[in-house]
Amino acid sequence: MYINSGYLNNSLLDIVDKTNPLVVTSCGTYHLFTHPKLPTFRPKGRADYQLLYVSSGSAHFHFGNADNDTVVTAGNMVIYRPKEFQKYEYYCEDKAEVYWLHFTGSEVKKLLRKYGIKDDMHNFFVGSSLEYERLFKKIISELQQTPDNYKEMLTTLMFQLLITIHRQLSKERVLKNEYLDNEMDMATQYFNDNYNTEISIEEYATSRGMSISWFIRNFKQYTGTTPMQYITSIRITNAQMLLETTKYTITEIGRIVGYDNPLYFSRIFHKQTGFSPSEYRKK
C-alpha cells in the first residue's frame, strides 16, 4: 500500500479555524497494491470538511448510513461536511487510488456553493484529469516542506482546485453526442475559413444532411449565437483589425471582409461596435 500525506502544523487532529475564509489542514493519497482492504468509519464524522477524489479504480462509500453502499468510480469526487456520518472502504481488487483533503474556514459553505458544489451533493463527476492529481500532490508537498508563505499557497491551490471542479460541473451536458460536437466544430471552422465569401446557411446545412432549423438551433446551443451572427462577428472583428493596422479605405476593408455594399458594411459595423468605420478609425 502506498501512502503519502501532509498535515498543517504536523497535527493529526481536526482543525476548525473561523478566523480565515479558507484553510487547508491536511492532504494525502492512498493506493492499494497488496493490502486487501482499507476501511474508514467515523459515525460522528469530523469537525472539518473533507474532499476525496477517486483517480483510478473504485471505492465504496456509505452515505447517510452503513447499509447504503455506493460504488464511486474513477473521475468522481466525494465531499463530507462537518459532523456527517462517514463510512467508506478501499479494496485492493478494485485498484483504488484516492486523494483526500481536509479544509476548514469561515466562508467554506459559501465557497462550495459558489463553485457549484451544492449542499445536497455527496458525490459528483469531475472527470479523470492529471490536473487534479497535480494539485493534490502540490498541496501535499507544501504541507510537508512548509516553504515561505506556504499557508497562502495552500489557499491558492485550493481555489485552483475549486475552479477546476466548477468548470467541469458547469459544462453543458446537452452536447455530449460526438456526432453533434463534430458537426458544430466543422461548421465553426468552415465559417472561420470562408467568412468573407457569400455563405448560405441553408445550403451549408443541406450539404451536411441537416435541416436548417435543426442546424441553427444546435449551433446556437453550441456557440451561444446563430450562424449568421457568428459570421458577422468574425467579419467585424477582422474589419476592426484592418481599420487599426492598415491604410485601406473603408470600402476596400468592407470588400475584404465580405461586404460589397459600403453603406451596408457601415450600417452593420455601427450596429456591432457603436461607431461608424470612420469614427472607429479616428478613435
Side-chain angles (χ1 to χ4, degrees):
M1 179 170 66
Y2 173 77
I3 300 175
N4 190 25
S5 56
Y7 296 85
L8 185 65
N9 303 324
N10 292 318
S11 174
L12 302 181
L13 300 176
D14 300 10
I15 298 175
V16 178
D17 183 347
K18 297 294 185 179
T19 63
N20 293 285
L22 180 64
V23 181
V24 176
T25 58
S26 61
C27 186
T29 181
Y30 294 116
H31 190 182
L32 299 189
F33 294 104
T34 56
H35 200 71
K37 179 181 177 181
L38 181 62
T40 296
F41 183 55
R42 302 186 185 109
K44 295 184 179 180
R46 285 177 55 110
D48 57 9
Y49 289 79
Q50 183 179 14
L51 187 68
L52 303 101
Y53 172 58
V54 182
S55 61
S56 64
S58 60
H60 290 252
F61 288 84
H62 305 261
F63 300 114
N65 60 75
D67 297 327
N68 182 15
D69 186 1
T70 301
V71 178
V72 178
T73 56
N76 282 276
M77 286 197 179
V78 170
I79 185 165
Y80 285 111
R81 294 162 180 84
K83 300 180 181 180
E84 281 188 340
F85 173 88
Q86 294 188 19
K87 184 177 187 293
Y88 50 91
E89 304 93 18
Y90 310 141
Y91 294 95
C92 180
E93 62 189 34
D94 294 331
K95 299 180 174 19
E97 183 172 5
V98 181
Y99 290 86
W100 53 268
L101 182 149
H102 289 276
F103 55 103
T104 183
S106 60
E107 299 293 323
V108 170
K109 187 178 289 188
K110 291 181 181 179
L111 289 170
L112 291 175
R113 291 170 179 167
K114 175 181 177 180
Y115 291 107
I117 304 175
K118 299 177 182 178
D119 294 349
D120 60 350
M121 292 171 66
H122 283 101
N123 67 294
F124 46 92
F125 182 75
V126 295
S128 296
S129 171
L130 292 176
E131 178 64 11
Y132 297 117
E133 296 183 39
R134 183 190 72 80
L135 289 169
F136 280 111
K137 289 176 180 177
K138 181 63 176 172
I139 291 172
I140 294 171
S141 175
E142 289 288 321
L143 284 166
Q144 291 173 341
Q145 299 178 28
T146 63
D148 291 343
N149 309 117
Y150 76 98
K151 291 183 180 180
E152 291 88 340
M153 178 58 75
L154 288 172
T155 303
T156 300
L157 291 168
M158 183 67 187
F159 273 111
Q160 288 184 34
L161 180 61
L162 289 171
I163 290 169
T164 305
I165 292 170
H166 185 238
R167 288 177 176 176
Q168 177 63 36
L169 294 177
S170 300
K171 283 185 178 179
E172 292 290 336
R173 304 295 180 183
V174 180
L175 298 175
K176 284 183 177 178
N177 185 289
E178 289 187 7
Y179 162 76
L180 185 57
D181 284 350
N182 184 57
E183 284 295 340
M184 297 304 109
D185 282 341
M186 288 180 62
T188 56
Q189 188 59 54
Y190 178 82
F191 295 154
N192 275 283
D193 292 342
N194 299 278
Y195 74 89
N196 59 346
T197 64
E198 188 175 344
I199 297 176
S200 169
I201 306 301
E202 185 172 0
E203 288 180 5
Y204 177 82
T206 302
S207 73
R208 300 298 307 166
M210 299 176 282
S211 72
I212 182 66
S213 59
W214 186 92
F215 173 63
I216 292 175
R217 182 174 65 255
N218 284 280
F219 187 91
K220 185 173 183 179
Q221 196 167 29
Y222 188 80
T223 64
T225 184
T226 67
M228 188 50 66
Q229 288 170 340
Y230 186 85
I231 294 167
T232 300
S233 177
I234 299 171
R235 286 174 172 175
I236 298 305
T237 298
N238 281 281
Q240 288 175 287
M241 183 273 293
L242 291 170
L243 287 165
E244 293 173 16
T245 60
T246 74
K247 294 183 178 180
Y248 290 128
T249 66
I250 291 171
T251 299
E252 289 172 327
I253 290 174
R255 288 173 180 167
I256 290 171
V257 299
Y259 296 105
D260 289 331
N261 186 326
L263 292 177
Y264 182 68
F265 167 58
S266 294
R267 192 181 311 126
I268 294 295
F269 190 95
H270 187 276
K271 184 178 180 181
Q272 294 290 315
T273 67
F275 299 93
S276 68
S278 58
E279 289 171 340
Y280 185 87
R281 173 167 270 175
K282 290 177 182 178
K283 183 176 75 72

